[in-house]
Structures are given as structure tokens and as C-alpha cells.
Amino acid sequence: VTTQDPELDEFDIIGRYFGRQGLRRADVIVGIGDDAAILRVPEGQDLVVAIDTLISGVHFPEDTPPACIGYKALAVNLSDLAAMGAVPAWATLAMSLPHVDRAWLAAFCRGFFALADEYDVQLIGGDTTRGPLSMSVQVHGLLPRGHGLRRSGARVGDRVFVTGRLGEAAMALQWLQGRRQLAVADDVLRACLERLNRPRPRVEFGLRLRELATSAIDVSDGLVADLGHILTASGVGAKIDLGLLPTLAELIPELAPEHAWDLALSGGDDYELCFTVAADREHALVDIATECKVCVTRIGEIVADTALRLQCPDGSRFEPTATGYRHF
Ligand code: ADP
Ligand code: MG
């Protein structure tokens, strides 16, 4: 690891590593290289903007492979766009690096641009500074005017759904931190690590949900916290049937149900979508999920009583041990 690289200043880094995509979108009038980018929002579309910061040791373990850090920094942002039903378009990257490490930068960019290229996202600017390792990625997406998904539209009687399986990333993190409480098969562990390091944002499915969902959010802080945001914004409550929850218990038979529920409810880092659909539209949802090859599970129902009720298969109430990650 080089602590200082006299042959590579800030502008060399930008040109060599961050500017390598070139112009790839017609709606980018000016990209990297000027004081600011100039972008063209198409007629009849709304601009959707989200930003997320990743700090070493807080959002990812310090020894996370740099390609995974680059991938995840963009993925968590695309997940926010997916939850709004937006089509990704552009990104900016503000990065603080402790030192210049060419191999690290090359790997970071490999991960970042693999996902950017997959979704036709162009990196259109950023900022590069020296400091503790952290990065903020801002993404910009597009929506047909007035058609975004929001947290606030859930209505009493709507069904509550989640994509994928919850708790896998949290299991991987517990394992990395040595808090593993049981032996997990190697292939299951690998799958969990992949979920932690390279979450797949549900972009295509989010777009299709625009026709259908009354509310949506991406699950980044744990289901209890994130579904809680839908309930607060919509002024409703929900009854969740834990027996329906897609958890790691499907992969690890030895896992106690309470442990699997805890990971799913408060683990976080899932980047799945939680959303509500009117009861009479459930059949249409099945079609969309099939087309997008996304596994969707109904986990409960929206109710008028403004609380989140977690019900065990035996009818008793479940109290999660934590309510999701909070910075403050
Ligand atoms: P200024 O000093 O005018 O803010 P900079 O010297 O910081 O400009 O950046 C020069 C150009 O490089 C700008 O277009 C900026 O957006 C881009 N840039 C800087 N850092 C990054 C980065 N990490 N990723 C992508 N673009 C970057
Ligand atoms: Mg300037």
C-alpha cells in the first residue's frame, strides 16, 4: 500500500479512474471535467434525487473488498430510486481517501462501473479529497411526471408485501463480527456474504410497481423500522404474520424462528422492497413478479389501528430485540 503517490495527483485520479466511462448518455450535455455537470431532463419527466454515504467501519467492515465497496455504494442508492419507481440516469461521487492506492482505486471503480453500466448510469461528477475512507454517491433518476411511488399511500385493507428474503446480509455481518451463534453451511454463508457486499437493487421491479403499489420503501434499516416509515407517512397500522415472513429459516433449518425473525425484522442492509397493494390487485402483482423474476411474499395487511403488530404463528405477539440501526 502506497501512502503517497507523487505521480498521481487529484486530477490524474479523476481522469484515470473516475472519468473512464466517457459520454454514454445523450442527456448529459457536460459531464466530468468542468465546474459542474449540465443535464437535460426530458419533457414530461420529473427528476428524482437520492444520496447515501458509506463510511468505512460504519457501513461496511474495514476489510471489505474494494470492488464490493464500489458496487454497494451505487447499489444502495439505486435501491432508493427503485423504491420511488424511478429509472436511474446519472450519479455523482464524493470520495474521501486516506491515501492513493492504485489497486484499491481500480477495484473500487470495477465494482462501481459494473453496476453503473448495467443500468446505463453515467457518472457525471464528484469530489475527491484526502481523509478517512468514506464516499457519498448521489443518484438522479427520472419518472413520468406525477407518477412516483411514495411512503404515504397505504390504505386500510391493502396487503403488505416484500421482495426476496430478509436477514441474509445481517447474518453475514454477524458472522464477520464473530457473533455467529450456529454453524452455517458454506454455500449459505457465501450467499449471505454476497447479499451483504453486492446487494441487487430491485430497479426493474420498482418501475413496474408504479402501476400497482399504493406505497413503497426499500428495506435498508430492517423491516420494522422501514415498514414503520410507511405506516407513519400513511397514518395507518399493520398486522404482520411472522409465519409468512421469508427468512433465513428457509435455508437454515436449525435456525430458531425467533433468531430468523430478529434478523429479518431488525437486521437491515437487505435492499429489498416493502410495499402495499390493494387487495383486489394481488393477481396483477403475481404477473409483474413473474415477468421480473422477483420472488414476492404477502406478509400481512394494513389496519386502521396505528401500530405495527407482529404476530407469531401461535397467535402471540413478538417483540423484536432491536428496532433497526440508528446512527444517533
Ligand atoms: P472544482 O474545484 O471546480 O469543484 P474539481 O477539481 O473538484 O472541480 O473536479 C474537477 C472535475 O472532476 C469536476 O467535473 C468534478 O465533478 C469531477 N470529479 C472530481 N472528483 C470526482 C469523483 N470522485 N468522481 C467523479 N468525478 C469527479
Ligand atoms: Mg470549480
Side-chain angles (χ1 to χ4, degrees):
V1 175
T2 359
T3 46
Q4 285 242 345
D5 196 330
E7 282 159 34
L8 218 54
D9 72 10
E10 180 188 331
F11 302 102
D12 298 325
I13 294 172
I14 296 165
R16 185 185 294 225
Y17 296 103
F18 300 120
R20 70 167 190 202
Q21 240 181 343
L23 270 187
R24 61 176 286 136
R25 293 181 59 100
D27 53 14
V28 178
I29 313 305
V30 175
I32 291 174
D34 214 310
D35 292 307
I38 303 179
L39 309 162
R40 193 156 291 164
V41 177
E43 204 67 50
Q45 306 253 319
D46 286 333
L47 178 63
V48 186
V49 181
I51 185 167
D52 259 316
T53 298
L54 264 57
I55 299 170
S56 180
V58 178
H59 300 93
F60 55 86
E62 270 154 36
D63 55 359
T64 302
C68 296
I69 301 172
Y71 187 97
K72 187 166 181 174
L74 183 58
V76 300
N77 279 284
L78 294 185
S79 178
D80 282 320
L81 290 185
M84 302 300 286
V87 181
W90 313 304
T92 53
L93 168 64
M95 182 139 210
S96 156
L97 296 166
H99 51 251
V100 175
D101 177 343
R102 291 176 193 232
W104 192 97
L105 276 166
F108 176 90
C109 286
R110 218 181 321 115
F112 185 94
F113 287 119
L115 190 59
D117 291 348
E118 181 179 346
Y119 285 106
D120 199 24
V121 169
Q122 187 174 332
L123 185 65
I124 44 95
D127 196 25
T128 307
T129 56
R130 181 196 290 261
L133 180 63
S134 79
M135 64 230 62
S136 295
V137 174
Q138 183 171 56
V139 287
H140 315 78
L142 299 166
L143 268 178
R145 188 158 293 170
H147 284 280
L149 289 168
R150 305 195 191 179
R151 298 176 175 184
S152 55
R155 297 291 169 261
V156 174
D158 286 356
R159 307 297 193 229
V160 181
F161 297 86
V162 290
T163 59
R165 197 184 287 121
L166 302 177
E168 291 172 317
M171 167 62 88
L173 195 60
Q174 286 196 356
W175 184 83
L176 287 175
Q177 293 170 340
R179 286 193 280 127
R180 178 178 53 148
Q181 288 158 30
L182 78 169
V184 180
D186 280 354
D187 57 331
V188 172
L189 196 56
R190 256 198 306 279
C192 290
L193 276 170
E194 177 77 5
R195 287 288 309 268
L196 176 70
N197 283 335
R198 296 166 54 88
R200 297 290 300 164
R202 300 291 190 183
V203 175
E204 298 85 356
F205 187 67
L207 298 183
R208 300 300 305 279
L209 277 185
R210 275 197 323 237
E211 314 158 16
L212 201 60
T214 51
S215 72
I217 192 167
D218 72 319
V219 184
S220 53
D221 294 332
L223 184 68
V224 166
D226 291 315
L227 175 56
H229 294 313
I230 285 187
L231 303 183
T232 303
S234 302
V236 295
K239 206 177 91 201
I240 299 303
D241 184 347
L242 295 182
L244 299 176
L245 207 61
T247 69
L248 265 170
E250 295 167 6
L251 302 184
I252 312 172
E254 308 81 31
L255 195 64
E258 294 75 18
H259 188 183
W261 293 333
D262 260 328
L263 288 168
L265 294 170
S266 21
D269 254 359
D270 298 297
Y271 302 104
E272 296 292 350
L273 297 181
C274 174
F275 57 97
T276 55
V277 173
D280 60 357
R281 307 286 319 271
E282 203 171 330
H283 59 282
L285 177 63
V286 174
D287 294 343
I288 292 174
T290 308
E291 280 171 42
C292 294
K293 298 192 177 71
V294 168
C295 183
V296 168
T297 311
R298 180 172 52 78
I299 58 168
E301 187 177 334
I302 297 295
V303 297
D305 173 23
T306 58
L308 177 55
R309 192 193 161 99
L310 304 168
Q311 195 168 298
C312 300
D314 68 2
S316 64
R317 284 205 192 192
F318 182 69
E319 285 299 328
T321 46
T323 51
Y325 188 83
R326 284 172 186 240
H327 288 274
F328 300 103

